[in-house]
Amino acid sequence: MSSAPRVVIIGAGIVGTNLADELLTLGWDDITVVEQGPLAMPGGSTSHAPGLVFQTNASKTLTLLARYTVTKLLSLQKDGQSCFNQVGGLEVATTPERWEELKRKHGYASSWGVEARLVSPPECLELYPLLNPALVLGGLHIPSDGLALAARAVQLLIERTSAAGVRYLGSTPVTGIERAGGRVTGVTTPAGTVPADVVVSCAGFWGVEIGAMVGLPIPLLPLAHQYVRTTPVPALAGRHAGPDGAGLPILRHQDQDLYFREHGDRYGIGYYGHRPMPVVASALGVTPATVDEHHMPSRLEFTPADFDPAWQESQALLPALQEAEVGDGFNGIFSFTPDGGALVGRAPDLDGFWVAEAVWVTHSAGVARSLAEVLTTGHSTIDLAECELSRFEEVQLSSSYVSETSQQNFVEIYDILHPHQPRESPRNLRVSPFHARQRELGAFFLEAGAWERPYWYEANAHLIAELPPEWQPVERDAWAQRYYSPVAAVEAWKTRTAVAMYDMTPLRRLEVSGPGAVDLLQRLSTGDVAKKPGAITYTLLLDEHGGIRSDVTVARLETDLFQVGANGPVDLAYLRREARQQCEADPTRWVQVRDITGGTCCIGLWGPRARDVVSAVSADDFTNDGLRYFRAKRASIGGIPVTAMRLSYVGELGWEIYTTADNGQRLWDVLWQAGQEHGVVAAGRTAFDALRLEKGYRSWGADMTTEHDPYEAGVGFAVKAGKQGFVGAEALEGRSEETAARRLRCLTVDDGTSVVLGKEPVFHDGQSVGYVTSAAFGYTVGRPVAYAYLPSGIGEGDAVEIEYFGRRVAATVASEPLHDPQMTRLRG
Ligand SMILES: Cc1cc2nc3c(=O)[nH]c(=O)nc-3n(C[C@H](O)[C@H](O)[C@H](O)COP(=O)(O)OP(=O)(O)OC[C@H]3O[C@@H](n4cnc5c(N)ncnc54)[C@H](O)[C@@H]3O)c2cc1C
């Protein structure tokens, strides 16, 4: 008998069927797929998906998921025909801004390993003779893109997995999820209960309804999206077309929110330029016993007026369409999310319940493969942080937030978006207690995790005139200049030469307490956190394969009380789950994990004059002996009870000073007043990011993810030598910086002026060898700094090139950290 868990997958769309297949491949064999529609055509989004697969995306994760999907669908064959028609993809630019965007996208393709070519207007015409030459300024051609035959793939997967023992229950809606003792035990259907140890909801845009069955908010919004087939187009007649009636590359005209494919002698046209049309999935009713191409729940009545502009623009780009008409149109439903990412992962508070939703056909097999890896081994080869179900803050889970942001995401889907561009609405959801003061100082806010975060303060602008010549910021190009101000140079200068106040409130803070607290943190982290109260440890949370799932600072405040500086909601969900399981296993070792972020706040007071400031308003001992580097203590500043931690992410003397939210504004005022005679400034994240890169401090999510181990990422020092038994320990055995095949390296730009922003490809001897993880202008070192993963053979002093908008920028691998390698400033 199989020892594999009993798995129930809800939904036989492209995601659910691929998941069954991938789980089988990885050795699980007790699988039931429950589908509310008829199996021959279930009636979800997959049943009508035109299947265009443009692989390249600013997200490395999404691009790799798409690459896998292409490979898999190519290999899925029957009667000599695969499920992917690799016609290639062509994206055209009709505006100069789009042409620049295509250059950036070409860079992403190089970074993530997708072969791509920027093509001139004549080459576009060669690839796609029906284009209007008067409109096209250039294009991006990706030969491996193409058309997924999604509905056919579903049928082949059902056939193949059924033959291997997967049970399919068609026309069977799941109406409830059975649970006992905090675990799923099965799913309820009108035909009875199907027992399960693991339930994975692959219900597509019905995900909200399934989530509601277990009280789990699913942040997706079903939206209708228009797709039409034209009447026959004379110019397409008799052309050589592939197995699914297409021979021309799939075509994107993002300047007008359009995409195109062939259906034999007709065109298929998709349009994102219309008004968002939200749908409530539960209002669609029960899926009928028979579904056909024209009658299925995911297909709503066409609204022709919404398509009028699309038709005009389509005829302008492809004049051959002037001899055709809009034929059969429909408004098809699929899922959008607040940040455009998929939703993949486990329910935080219900063991055994998983989700893989808001997944495009493009990423479907990749998501299925990755989730199957996580389920069977605890680790996905492709980092899934950007798709993680638990990545949203609580305030981002309200239905009004999900609705507004997902609709915005629909509107912007083909827009040219700057990497730092914040959403415009909703804003001011979460503000720190210093917000009023920050506004008085002219803070420029950007948003992350629904927090308003100052990037610089206009109040410091007058100091630009006082900047010494070596601190002067360089001129930036128009793209790098966006969401940037040279005032950041002043704030960096003041941090290194006087003192600055940084709002660190949005940093996630967790309180871990109870008799099992030390055991929990010792088991999950790479460091030794069982030091005496007052000690702080920078440590890593790894997955089973040694990949970095987070980096945290753990401050032991009392014997059974820790404060953990973490990276986000995913860390909270992880620690809570592990704590719950530890309590269940041994109630005497109970441990509680509380998120204290919202009720507390933090000022980073850093710079060589920081001690002068704090000692003017505190009788506590902040000398080197009174509070050493990486130590914490409770103190009073201006009569306000605080916890001070001697840490600095910017690499200067100073403290993270925590207090409760109610005391926050007064703490700010006290330090601000005391700092005046020492030249204090308020400083924002632009300076912060530059300073931390000069100091070589990694940012989780950008510089390290689950795809990297500590030695590759250059944080091997955070793995305590000789420590055993922590999650990931076995996987690290035998690994070291010497064995790492690639390393995160510090690059400095040779010309001292060419600023890059991140994700650009890095070349060595003409070959793409890596990509930029983080970048900033290093004000202290007077040149742009970038970090990049490079093969280990490329070391200090080696010359590389970073491609920025198609231009190669010369850079050199530098010895790191660039600033204060002896740590004299931090320990001073
Ligand atoms: C017009 C249009 C064009 C698109 N074009 C593209 C494209 O070109 N490229 C691309 O990559 N993507 C495209 N998409 C998106 C793509 O179609 C979807 O993202 C994808 O098909 C979703 O697959 P899925 O398996 O998650 O969901 P689905 O295919 O919707 O499958 C979910 C299944 O779950 C079942 N289910 C739901 N609730 C229950 C329940 N309670 N009990 C049992 N079963 C249940 C449903 O019946 C359904 O069959 C397009 C979407 C639309 C609408």
Side-chain angles (χ1 to χ4, degrees), residues 169-462:
L169 305 179
S171 296
T172 308
V174 169
T175 53
I177 310 293
E178 308 218 332
R179 288 158 278 173
R183 284 203 63 82
V184 295
T185 56
V187 302
T188 317
T189 78
T193 297
V194 185
D197 306 305
V198 173
V199 173
V200 189
S201 178
C202 301
F205 67 80
W206 284 273
V208 176
E209 279 68 19
I210 303 285
M213 293 176 189
V214 293
L216 176 68
I218 299 292
L220 71 75
L221 181 74
L223 284 168
H225 153 56
Q226 290 197 309
Y227 189 78
V228 307
R229 286 178 194 229
T230 65
T231 57
V233 180
L236 289 183
R239 285 185 61 86
H240 170 77
D244 62 342
L248 286 169
I250 53 172
L251 177 67
R252 261 210 294 218
H253 178 24
Q254 292 183 289
D255 290 319
Q256 294 298 339
D257 295 309
L258 286 162
Y259 63 84
F260 304 87
R261 61 160 288 180
E262 289 164 283
H263 294 283
D265 62 354
R266 295 158 199 259
Y267 257 104
I269 308 174
Y271 185 43
Y272 287 111
H274 55 78
R275 68 201 155 99
M277 300 188 244
V279 176
V280 177
S282 57
L284 298 171
V286 177
T287 304
T290 47
V291 163
D292 64 42
E293 217 187 307
H294 292 98
H295 304 95
M296 59 175 87
S298 60
R299 189 182 155 119
L300 302 180
E301 192 85 1
F302 187 52
T303 49
D306 290 306
F307 196 74
D308 284 348
W311 184 234
Q312 282 165 29
E313 293 299 340
S314 299
Q315 290 175 315
L317 185 74
L318 300 168
L321 286 175
Q322 288 162 13
E323 293 180 57
E325 285 169 23
V326 172
D328 174 28
F330 65 97
N331 294 358
I333 309 169
F334 74 116
S335 311
F336 280 75
T337 57
D339 60 5
L343 303 174
V344 184
R346 64 209 301 166
D349 299 318
L350 178 60
D351 289 343
F353 189 82
W354 296 73
V355 162
E357 289 158 352
V359 177
W360 288 45
V361 168
T362 301
H363 312 113
S364 55
V367 163
R369 172 70 174 187
S370 296
L371 181 53
E373 285 180 341
V374 174
L375 284 165
T376 56
T377 73
H379 170 87
S380 159
T381 314
I382 298 172
D383 181 65
L384 288 179
E386 289 176 7
C387 302
E388 173 54 63
L389 173 67
S390 303
R391 69 187 179 276
F392 297 98
E393 302 284 335
E394 211 175 332
V395 71
Q396 296 174 309
L397 294 173
S398 74
S399 53
S400 58
Y401 182 91
V402 173
S403 175
E404 180 176 352
T405 54
S406 301
Q407 291 188 51
Q408 189 63 23
N409 201 20
F410 174 90
V411 170
E412 291 176 347
I413 191 159
Y414 279 0
D415 287 2
I416 298 168
L417 298 176
H418 191 276
H420 297 153
Q421 191 163 328
R423 66 173 83 259
E424 279 170 17
S425 174
R427 288 292 298 269
N428 291 307
L429 293 182
R430 303 172 91 190
V431 297
S432 84
F434 323 129
H435 190 66
R437 297 293 180 259
Q438 292 167 343
R439 289 175 65 116
E440 286 162 17
L441 293 170
F444 177 85
F445 292 99
L446 293 176
E447 179 265 353
W451 282 103
E452 295 296 325
R453 304 198 301 179
Y455 271 64
W456 66 85
Y457 293 85
E458 285 301 329
N460 296 327
H462 69 283

Side-chain angles (χ1 to χ4, degrees), residues 526-528 711 716-724 726:
T526 58
D528 178 18
Y711 308 109
F717 64 86
V719 181
K720 168 90 178 156
K723 185 181 173 187
Q724 292 179 337
F726 59 89

Side-chain angles (χ1 to χ4, degrees), residues 11 14-15 35-36 44-46 48-50 52 174 210 332 334 359 361-362:
I14 192 72
V15 177
E35 166 56 54
Q36 66 186 3
S45 309
T46 307
H48 59 56
L52 289 83
V174 169
I210 303 285
F334 74 116
V359 177
V361 168
T362 301

Side-chain angles (χ1 to χ4, degrees), residues 735-799:
R735 295 198 215 174
S736 66
E737 269 152 29
E738 286 66 45
T739 64
R742 60 182 172 178
R743 302 277 300 278
L744 186 60
R745 296 288 191 185
C746 176
L747 314 180
T748 55
V749 170
D750 294 352
D751 68 13
T753 58
S754 296
V755 173
V756 300
L757 297 181
K759 300 191 176 180
E760 296 86 358
V762 179
F763 292 81
H764 182 251
D765 287 341
Q767 297 295 314
S768 170
V769 288
Y771 60 93
V772 173
T773 57
S774 289
F777 184 80
Y779 301 101
T780 320
V781 297
R783 57 189 49 222
V785 181
Y787 271 74
Y789 276 98
L790 299 177
S792 300
I794 303 172
E796 284 169 24
D798 284 343

